[in-house]
Amino acid sequence: MKKCLVVDDSKVIRMVASKIVTELGFDAIEAVDGVEAYNSCQDSMPDVILLDWNMPNKNGLEFLRDLRNMPNGGNPIVIFVTTENGVDHIQKALEAGANEYIMKPFDADLIRMKFEQTGIL
Amino acid sequence: MKTETFKILSEFIKKRSGIVIVEEKIYLLESRLDKVCGDHNLANLDELALKIKTSPLSAIASDVIEAMTTNETYFYRDSTPFVDFEKKILPELIELKGTRKAINVLSAACSSGQEPYTLSMIFEENKTLLQGWRTDITAFDLSNDILDIAKEGVYTQFEVQRGLPVNLLVKYFDQNNKGWRVKDEVKKHVTFKQQNLLEPLNFIQKFDVVFLRNVLIYFDVETKTKILSEIRKKLVPEGYLFLGSSETIIGITDEFKAVEGMRGIYKAK
């Protein structure tokens, strides 16, 4: 089963996103910030990551930059899921190696579409 | 809904737009016409039907047609047809046309413009290959209101996230306080026109490709045959017709043949 890491400091968002990806057939793993996400990736690299931007300890962008420098860190599809909806943020995310970008709010349809677009589904 | 109300509304919509509403789709009338009732201070669809019966040429009647003919659409809808267009049809057209460096595409019932702008982005993505070519997209719809939205080319966050890859969003859209505006380099390929699909197509040029996706589903067989015959007249010999992936020409016309390996795509005979 493919693994999806859901990274968000909001418990509610993690719960909703995990439910959606589970229904899409993924094994959902959760992390509360960039540090926990990094440790999780060191243990086992996921196939896809849903990544919040603003989080304590290490934000989504910092985590993504670190991830892409890890062994096999280039493999996971990374989709930002954030309230940051400015074009500057989107460009920074793409430059750091994000594959897709979802501006909150999101729903199951949107996650499915982005998974299909990035070829993970 | 009263039987009489359904009869009046469905007959009026069929007569004016050709769209057939069967009883199983009463929910479509309710969901789309509730707002028209509200806008005109009518309590319910029964009152609306009465107005339509007494004043079929009124502003309310036009609003009913607008509401019933405006359809959901999004960028790169269903993605596969656009991949087929870009990777298979476009290279074939470039090779076939040789020195006649012009490609004409028709986007029928284009609604708020996502389909023609998607095609235009494909042309822009292939502009090195298409250097020196004229690439024109003619897009039409019945509704002037929806065409105004299409011409303006400003979309909400919700709309741009449906189907549009984010790298194309930042490349071909400008963000402003109203949302995301299609850049002029994408707009320049597209010409919007008002046209009723049920009337003879009023275009001088012929088209290499016609997109008529998720439109025929609303019509009865007789109307579908008439529409496809009209489309055929506007296609070049062996021109391509794109229908929705759940639509078919079987039992409707023999003027087209299915293209092997490309679902929903047909070639003019």
Side-chain angles (χ1 to χ4, degrees), chain A residues 43-60:
Chain A
D43 287 345
S44 170
M45 199 59 80
D47 299 283
V48 56
I49 303 174
L50 294 180
L51 182 61
D52 187 20
W53 191 297
N54 296 305
M55 293 177 292
N57 301 322
K58 186 182 274 186
N59 71 32

Side-chain angles (χ1 to χ4, degrees), chain A residues 85 87 100 102-103 107 117, chain B residues 157 161-163 165-166 175:
Chain A
N85 60 5
V87 69
E100 261 300 334
I102 290 174
M103 295 171 264
D107 58 19
Q117 254 174 33
Chain B
Q157 183 175 297
Q161 294 209 101
R162 257 57 194 167
V166 71
Q175 194 175 25

Side-chain angles (χ1 to χ4, degrees), chain B residues 41-264:
Chain B
N41 295 318
L42 300 169
N44 50 41
L45 293 186
D46 299 331
E47 284 189 15
L48 180 67
L50 198 63
K51 283 273 182 193
I52 297 293
K53 195 176 177 182
T54 51
S55 317
L57 298 174
S58 63
I60 301 178
S62 297
D63 287 352
V64 166
I65 297 305
E66 292 270 358
M68 294 308 300
T69 56
T70 302
N71 293 309
E72 186 203 53
T73 180
Y74 44 87
F75 294 100
Y76 284 88
R77 185 174 180 181
D78 305 329
S79 72
T80 310
F82 295 102
V83 174
D84 286 340
F85 175 74
E86 181 173 7
K87 303 294 179 200
K88 296 174 184 166
I89 311 281
L90 196 54
E92 185 190 304
L93 286 175
I94 290 170
E95 197 178 323
L96 277 177
K97 291 229 160 187
T99 53
R100 289 168 297 133
K101 295 188 165 188
I103 295 172
N104 282 315
V105 180
L106 179 67
S107 170
C110 66
S111 195
S112 41
Q114 283 91 331
E115 181 176 273
Y117 287 138
T118 297
L119 294 166
S120 188
M121 282 186 274
I122 291 171
F123 284 147
E124 279 298 301
E125 285 292 286
N126 291 278
K127 68 179 170 190
T128 312
L129 198 63
L130 289 164
Q131 191 135 30
W133 285 68
R134 274 195 58 192
T135 45
D136 293 325
I137 301 153
T138 303
F140 75 83
D141 201 276
L142 174 64
S143 159
N144 276 313
D145 285 356
I146 205 74
L147 284 173
D148 287 343
I149 292 169
K151 283 177 199 165
E152 196 184 5
V154 177
Y155 299 92
T156 64
Q157 183 175 297
F158 180 88
E159 289 168 320
V160 294
Q161 294 209 101
R162 257 57 194 167
L164 184 64
V166 71
N167 62 321
L168 297 183
L169 173 67
V170 293
K171 193 170 176 184
Y172 294 121
F173 289 74
D174 288 318
Q175 194 175 25
N176 62 26
N177 56 1
K178 288 164 77 182
W180 295 84
R181 185 185 175 278
V182 178
K183 285 186 179 176
D184 291 342
E185 64 202 77
V186 175
K187 282 188 168 181
K188 74 179 179 196
H189 296 284
V190 187
T191 307
F192 290 101
K193 292 190 172 168
Q194 198 276 340
Q195 164 79 52
N196 188 339
L197 198 51
L198 299 186
E199 290 166 7
L201 297 176
N202 190 23
F203 306 114
I204 300 162
Q205 71 272 46
K206 291 211 170 188
F207 298 95
D208 302 294
V209 182
V210 173
F211 278 73
L212 180 70
R213 303 187 61 234
N214 307 299
V215 179
L216 291 178
I217 41 171
Y218 296 103
F219 300 102
D220 59 24
V221 172
E222 189 189 336
T223 312
K224 283 177 188 175
T225 305
K226 195 176 148 204
I227 290 169
L228 287 173
S229 173
E230 195 61 31
I231 292 282
R232 174 64 190 86
K233 286 182 205 161
K234 288 292 164 191
L235 263 173
V236 299
E238 303 221 315
Y240 286 99
L241 169 69
F242 282 62
L243 298 180
S245 54
S246 62
E247 295 172 316
T248 177
I249 58 158
I250 296 167
I252 298 167
T253 175
D254 56 7
E255 292 187 271
F256 298 88
K257 60 184 176 196
V259 178
E260 207 175 314
M262 289 194 267
R263 195 171 173 193

